[in-house]
Amino acid sequence: MRAMIFHHAGLRVLRLALMPAASLAPAACRAETPVDSSSASPAKAPRCVRVLIAETADPVRLRAETPLHPLAADGSPLEEVLSTEWTPCQADPGGALSLGSRPLAAEQIEFPGWAAAAGKLSRRTRDGWEPAMTLPGRLLIRRGPRGLTIINEVEIEEYVAGVTAREIPSDFHIEAFRAQSILCRTFCLYQMRSRDHLAYDVLASEGSQVYVGTVAGAAGEKARAAAAETAGLVCTCPRDGKEDIFLTYYSSACGGSSQSAWTFNPSDRIEALSGDVPCDFCQIAPPDCYRWGPVTLPEATVRAAILDRYPRLTSLDRLKSIEATRQAPSGRWVEVRLTDVKGAQWTLPAEHVRLAIGSRVMRSTDCRMSLVAGEVRLENGKGFGHGLGLCQWGMQGQALAGRTAPQILRFYFPGSSLTRVY
Ligand SMILES: [Zn+2]
C-alpha cells in the first residue's frame, strides 16, 4: 500500500488562470449547459470535460502506435506526420507551432484517430521527461501565450476513472473506489460551472484534481469499474431550497475530526460542508498520516519558505514567534501570526503557511507550533491534508467495516444525498 494519499484538492480551485476560449472549437461531445441538479434534468449534465494538460514554453513529445496526420483548426490536413517514434512539439512564446523540426502552418492542431492510435504525450520538467501519458479522447495543441497550450477533451467517466485511479491505492476496497468516483465526478462538475468563457474546464494538476490520462493496472481497472457502476451519480445538498451539487473536498486523513469549509469560503456555508465530523476510521492510515511529528526546522528555512510564497513581506526580519491567533473547533489553526525581531507582525492563513513550508513537512494545521532558540518545532500533529470534507483513509476504514459508498459520503457530508444527473 502506498504510504500516503497525496492530494489536497479544493483549496486552490479558485486559482485557475483565466484564459480566453479563443479559437478552440467547442467539444463535439460537450455539454449543452452546466449542471443544474436542482432541475434534476439528466440531459443537462456535461458529458465531456476539457482538461488543461500543460501551458508551457518547454517542448512536449508525442507518439502514436500508427502514424497520424494533424489537422488545422479549420479541418484542413497538414503535411507533417506524427510517427511511432517520439516527436517533439514546441512553440516558443510568440513563435510558430512546430512538430518535429518543422514549423506548422497552423496555430492549432489535433490528430484524428488519436485515441484509437493510443496516442501518448510526455512533458519535460527540470528533472527530465515525465512518464508518458496515454490520453483518451481528443488532443488539442495550440500556440498559446506561454508557448504550448495542450488540452485533452475527454468523456467525463473516463476522466473520473483516471483521477480516481490516481487518488487512492489500488488495494483500497471497491466501495472506497465507488465513493471516490462520485467525489471526483461531483468535484469536476462543480468546477466546470462558469467556465464556458475559458478554453478548458479543469487543470490536470492539484489545482483541480491530478489527471494523467488512462491508468493501467489494478488501480485503473478498479477505478473504471467504479466509475461505470456510479456513472452520473453526484453528491447534492439543499441550497436555497433546491438540491444542488457542491465542492466535494477531500484529503488524505482527518486525524480525528474534519474541518469546516465555512471558514474559508462563504459560498460553502451549507450543512454538507459544516465539518467537525468525528472520525477515527483513519487510524488505519500509515505512520505519519493519522499522527505525525515532531518536526524541527531552522527558522531561516521557514522564513525563506514564507517569503517565497509572500514576496510582499520583504521587510520580514528574523522571526521571534509564530502563534495561532484563530483556531477551529476541530483544533486546526485558521490564522497564524508571525512576529519578527523588530516587533512587526503579520497574520496569514494557516493553510497557506502549511503549503509554504511544505504539505508533506507540515502535514496538517492541527499541530502545536513553537519557535525556540532559532528552531521552529511542529509537534502533536494530527491528520494529513487540509481536513475539509471527506477523509480518504476514513473512507477506506468505513468500507472495510462494511459501509457502502452512499453511507460513507453521507457520513462526511452531513445532509447530502446522491442525485443522478445523467
Ligand atoms: Zn478521518
Side-chain angles (χ1 to χ4, degrees), residues 71-339:
L71 294 180
D74 63 3
S76 58
L78 301 170
E79 289 181 11
E80 287 75 10
V81 63
L82 173 62
S83 74
T84 56
E85 304 293 326
W86 283 117
T87 306
C89 182
Q90 189 166 13
D92 298 323
L97 193 63
S98 65
L99 183 66
S101 56
R102 301 181 59 180
L104 294 167
E107 297 211 334
Q108 177 187 314
I109 57 170
E110 72 166 302
F111 298 96
W114 168 263
K120 289 182 168 50
L121 179 146
S122 175
R123 296 176 295 202
R124 196 172 74 182
T125 68
R126 278 177 297 183
D127 302 324
W129 291 102
E130 289 185 339
M133 292 186 273
T134 302
L135 297 171
R138 296 172 73 198
L139 184 73
L140 300 165
I141 301 178
R142 64 178 293 232
R143 190 167 67 83
R146 296 178 194 164
L148 290 177
T149 297
I150 301 173
I151 292 171
N152 184 203
E153 196 175 279
V154 58
E155 202 276 322
I156 199 161
E157 296 304 341
E158 286 189 275
Y159 169 81
V160 166
V163 173
T164 297
R166 289 281 303 192
E167 273 298 340
I168 51 179
S170 60
D171 58 357
F172 263 32
H173 195 282
I174 187 63
E175 213 56 42
F177 270 84
R178 290 177 184 130
Q180 184 69 50
S181 297
I182 297 167
L183 279 179
C184 292
R185 184 179 302 109
T186 311
F187 196 100
C188 172
L189 290 174
Y190 191 88
Q191 282 205 319
M192 288 177 74
R193 288 181 161 176
S194 308
R195 295 279 166 78
D196 279 352
H197 64 295
L198 301 178
Y200 54 86
D201 299 306
V202 295
L203 305 175
S205 63
E206 288 185 4
S208 297
Q209 304 180 95
V210 173
Y211 168 77
V212 294
T214 302
V215 176
E221 286 176 24
K222 285 171 85 171
R224 280 186 287 280
E229 289 159 7
T230 64
L233 285 180
V234 294
C235 295
T236 61
C237 70
R239 193 199 295 264
D240 300 328
K242 303 175 189 172
E243 278 293 297
D244 198 3
I245 59 172
F246 58 94
L247 198 52
T248 44
Y249 298 100
Y250 53 89
S251 67
S252 183
C254 72
S257 174
S258 66
Q259 173 158 225
S260 172
W262 295 11
T263 312
F264 298 96
N265 190 350
S267 68
D268 286 338
R269 287 191 74 86
I270 51 176
E271 182 189 356
L273 296 176
S274 56
D276 296 320
V277 174
C279 163
D280 58 9
F281 294 97
C282 51
Q283 288 186 42
I284 62 167
D288 287 343
C289 213
Y290 182 70
R291 294 287 180 265
W292 59 273
V295 173
T296 302
L297 301 162
E299 177 274 341
T301 302
V302 172
R303 179 159 40 99
I306 291 170
L307 282 170
D308 191 47
R309 188 178 182 95
Y310 291 97
R312 65 186 167 84
L313 302 186
T314 48
S315 61
L316 178 68
D317 208 327
R318 276 187 302 115
L319 292 170
K320 182 181 173 187
S321 70
I322 298 178
E323 56 194 332
T325 49
R326 200 147 66 95
Q327 259 184 316
S330 62
R332 286 180 177 78
W333 294 21
V334 177
E335 284 179 351
V336 174
R337 184 165 61 209
L338 308 177
T339 305

Side-chain angles (χ1 to χ4, degrees), residues 58-80:
D58 291 329
V60 297
R61 55 184 191 176
L62 310 167
R63 67 180 167 90
E65 290 186 358
T66 55
L68 299 175
H69 285 278
L71 294 180
D74 63 3
S76 58
L78 301 170
E79 289 181 11
E80 287 75 10

Side-chain angles (χ1 to χ4, degrees), residues 23-58:
S23 60
L24 282 182
C29 58
R30 188 157 158 68
E32 302 80 81
T33 63
V35 166
D36 179 5
S37 53
S38 61
S39 66
S41 172
K44 289 188 175 179
R47 302 299 293 272
C48 198
V49 56
R50 301 168 301 172
V51 187
L52 180 66
I53 300 297
E55 271 188 312
T56 178
D58 291 329

